[in-house]
């Protein structure tokens, strides 16, 4: 499995390089590839590298779509999940709370798109024994 994951990461880096040549550095396809790459790197336990990639994906999406776009909220959710894995619980809470607020503003209080962030917040609160 590890070699398959490593192959996937190498392939994603190759895709990223091609997309940067074709699109430049600010394009939604690049943000998506960065997000996918960060997920793979996080799966390997490289949390610091994943955080940098998720951050870059978020910054790209903010420039391309604006601060309130759902892809930015997804990137914040992923950053929060990564910070939790790194043991930065305050940072995780901040990112996840912001992501949840953005999603609630866009979708309302009872929408399926809130579930991943709510689950990550629940995991964080369970881990830190904090009340929600």
């Amino acid at each position: 499995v590890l070699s398959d994951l490593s192959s996937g990461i190498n392939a994603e880096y190759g895709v990223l390089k091609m997309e940067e040549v074709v699109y430049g550095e600010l394009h939604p396809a690049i943000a998506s590839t960065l997000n996918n790459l960060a997920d793979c790197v996080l799966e390997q336990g490289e949390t610091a590298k994943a955080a940098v990639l998720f951050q870059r994906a978020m910054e790209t999406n903010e420039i391309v779509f604006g601060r309130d776009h759902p892809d930015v909220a997804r990137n914040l959710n992923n950053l929060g999940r990564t910070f939790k894995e790194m043991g930065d619980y305050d940072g995780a809470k901040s990112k996840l709370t912001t992501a949840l607020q953005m999603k609630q503003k866009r979708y309302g209080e009872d929408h399926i798109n809130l579930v991943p962030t709510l689950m990550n917040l629940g995991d964080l609160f369970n881990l830190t024994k904090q009340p929600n």
Side-chain angles (χ1 to χ4, degrees):
V1 174
L2 188 57
S3 65
D4 290 342
L5 190 54
S6 294
S7 296
I9 289 171
N10 289 336
E12 287 288 341
Y13 272 117
V15 169
L16 180 61
K17 286 180 183 180
M18 286 190 288
E19 287 175 341
E20 287 174 339
V21 169
V22 172
Y23 300 124
E25 293 203 9
L26 296 175
H27 192 277
I30 289 173
S32 179
T33 300
L34 286 165
N35 191 73
N36 294 341
L37 183 55
D39 273 331
C40 291
V41 169
L42 185 61
E43 185 73 22
Q44 279 193 322
E46 297 184 53
T47 54
K49 189 184 282 187
V52 169
L53 292 166
F54 281 133
Q55 182 70 34
R56 185 171 162 212
M58 185 186 73
E59 290 168 356
T60 300
N61 280 326
E62 284 179 336
I63 292 167
V64 172
F65 296 122
R67 174 84 176 120
D68 294 329
H69 194 272
D71 286 354
V72 175
R74 180 187 57 161
N75 297 136
L76 281 166
N77 178 69
N78 290 337
L79 274 168
R81 181 170 51 103
T82 304
F83 284 14
K84 178 180 65 87
E85 294 297 319
M86 295 170 73
D88 180 358
Y89 301 135
D90 290 336
K93 183 178 179 182
S94 173
K95 299 292 185 195
L96 292 169
T97 301
T98 301
L100 181 62
Q101 290 168 346
M102 289 171 68
K103 289 178 177 187
Q104 287 172 327
K105 182 178 176 184
R106 180 175 270 291
Y107 301 114
E109 299 288 321
D110 296 319
H111 195 277
I112 191 73
N113 287 345
L114 277 65
V115 171
T117 304
L118 288 169
M119 289 178 62
N120 285 326
L121 276 167
D123 289 345
L124 177 65
F125 294 146
N126 187 45
L127 182 64
T128 60
K129 307 297 185 218
Q130 293 179 357
N132 54 357

